Amino acid sequence: MPQNEGLVTTLKGDGKAEVVIQPVSSGIPGASRRVNRHVCHCATNGSTITFEALNRVGADIGDVVSVSRDTSGLVKNAAVLLGIPGICLMIGITLATILYHVFVFPMIGGVGVAALCLLIGIFLGVLLFRRMATDNLPVIDRIVRTRVEAASGHDENAFCIGPDQRTCNGCSGPFR
């Protein structure tokens, strides 16, 4: 189960929150290195990703949270988006064969029937996917630091505060 830390930026209705994460590596968060070598990289070092997550722990704006996603939903999504159109295509090919051999229907008409069944399958797959996708949102499973703790603590990415930032020796982050 892929897990990332992020910052809650917006609270939405229905127990949802908008979370911003900065992936620890470039590529698709949660995907293996082998997969990331073969796809277009959607994240680079320093980029951020914003998404909606279920806020089951009651995180507030500014809290640093741990977000996880159940990967079992990916199999369901693939089955719906590939399986339903595939089944409809097979039904269309079977119908086209029956029309061609039994009713002496022209071949182009059979191809049209198969294509129409495939389009209906794609439409049904997308409709079912949209209904199922709402149940497969990432979940905020714990609060790592509240906004008060994050504001009072010293973070490695904190900016130097002082009159002359070039001589600031108190920073532990990269902004020395």
Side-chain angles (χ1 to χ4, degrees):
M1 184 178 322
Q3 209 161 16
N4 293 296
E5 284 188 9
L7 180 72
V8 177
T9 57
T10 307
L11 294 177
K12 296 188 171 191
D14 303 332
K16 297 177 186 171
E18 196 169 277
V19 179
V20 175
I21 64 168
Q22 183 173 3
V24 292
S25 63
S26 62
I28 300 171
S32 68
R33 288 184 184 181
R34 189 177 130 242
V35 170
N36 276 324
R37 276 196 318 251
H38 298 290
V39 298
C40 175
H41 294 287
C42 66
T44 58
N45 291 332
S47 68
T48 59
I49 299 171
T50 303
F51 58 90
E52 195 173 89
L54 293 174
N55 187 6
R56 293 188 179 155
V57 296
D60 202 6
I61 295 174
D63 290 349
V64 177
V65 295
S66 175
V67 181
S68 62
R69 183 173 196 136
D70 185 18
T71 55
S72 66
L74 299 176
V75 175
K76 292 178 196 172
N77 293 344
V80 167
L81 290 174
L82 298 174
I84 291 177
I87 290 169
C88 287
L89 178 62
M90 285 188 259
I91 290 170
I93 290 172
T94 304
L95 261 167
T97 304
I98 291 170
L99 288 174
Y100 180 71
H101 288 297
V102 176
F103 297 108
V104 192
F105 203 69
M107 179 62 85
I108 192 74
V111 171
V113 167
L116 180 65
C117 286
L118 175 63
L119 290 175
I120 290 171
I122 292 171
F123 178 74
L124 291 175
V126 169
L127 278 180
L128 191 57
F129 169 75
R130 284 188 179 169
R131 287 197 178 166
M132 287 176 48
T134 58
D135 298 333
N136 195 23
L137 286 175
V139 177
I140 299 173
D141 49 10
R142 66 185 172 89
I143 299 173
V144 177
R145 284 189 319 255
T146 64
R147 64 181 172 183
V148 175
E149 292 170 346
S152 64
H154 186 70
D155 192 10
E156 69 179 34
N157 292 326
F159 289 96
C160 296
I161 300 173
D164 186 6
Q165 293 183 3
R166 288 175 282 147
T167 62
C168 179
N169 293 324
C171 295
S172 62
F175 303 107
R176 284 192 245 189

